[in-house]
Amino acid sequence: MPKYGAHAFVWVGDWNTESGNQAIKAAAKTGFDFIEIPLLKPDEFDAPAHLQALKAAGIGAVASTVLPRNAHIPLQPARAKQFLITCLDKLEAVGGTYLCGCIGFAHGYLTGSPPRPDERQAVVDTLGEVAHEAKKRGMTLGFECCNRYETYIYNTLADSQATVKAIRANGV
């Protein structure tokens, strides 16, 4: 049976412990099966409080994120990997198994040039490591591409598909 959910920003403009728990209650009251949590600041994410709210509401959670500007994979692959692993940790702590969003690049980071092969390879390598960790946890990643005004590195489905295929070719 299909399950339905909505992004928390339908109800709140920012996610913190209080507003997040309000969004969880609102999603349940509206009749959704899950809520999409904007996991933009995983270090500040109050997993125990949100897990309690999700259980009380009787709904599940998925999460979306955006790499911060200081964790753009081509420039800071280790920082990006740590950020995404922290997102997996927090999502796992609330029982979620799906993380999606701008996980391959920092949203809004533009160079004025097309992506170089080494930049794309850094994404394949880094996300391959994150995907391996997600797989061990029974979690799924969703890779988002954006328009040319939001990123220079992944603007087409073909480019994104090539990256996903390259990651899968590495055994993930």
Side-chain angles (χ1 to χ4, degrees):
M1 180 169 178
K3 293 189 176 196
Y4 297 92
H7 197 284
F9 286 166
V10 169
W11 297 281
V12 298
D14 187 34
W15 185 279
N16 57 47
T17 302
E18 183 181 342
S19 67
N21 287 346
Q22 289 172 355
I24 290 167
K25 287 179 192 174
K29 183 178 178 183
T30 306
F32 286 107
D33 302 298
F34 64 89
I35 188 168
E36 183 179 335
I37 295 170
L39 198 47
L40 304 174
K41 300 175 186 172
D43 290 333
E44 299 174 16
F45 186 77
D46 188 351
H50 298 314
L51 176 60
Q52 184 178 9
L54 287 163
K55 285 183 177 182
I59 65 171
V62 301
S64 57
T65 196
V66 176
L67 286 177
R69 191 167 180 85
N70 69 351
H72 183 59
I73 289 179
L75 300 177
Q76 296 287 335
R79 186 175 283 161
K81 179 182 173 184
Q82 185 53 55
F83 179 88
L84 292 169
I85 296 297
T86 301
C87 287
L88 292 178
D89 292 342
K90 298 298 182 165
L91 181 58
E92 185 175 45
V94 296
T97 60
Y98 183 77
L99 176 67
C100 64
C102 299
I103 62 172
F105 52 87
H107 188 266
Y109 187 92
L110 301 167
T111 64
S113 299
R116 297 184 320 265
D118 64 302
E119 291 178 308
R120 290 256 174 92
Q121 189 60 49
V123 174
V124 169
D125 295 343
T126 303
L127 286 186
E129 293 172 15
V130 174
H132 182 72
E133 181 61 31
K135 184 178 179 180
K136 288 192 310 190
R137 300 174 188 219
M139 301 174 98
T140 302
L141 300 177
F143 186 83
E144 182 177 338
C145 63
C146 291
N147 68 59
R148 64 189 171 123
Y149 302 108
E150 297 172 318
T151 184
Y152 71 100
I153 197 158
Y154 289 101
N155 304 128
T156 70
L157 293 176
D159 290 338
S160 299
Q161 182 183 35
T163 292
V164 170
K165 285 182 175 181
I167 292 168
R168 286 190 175 145
N170 291 334
V172 183

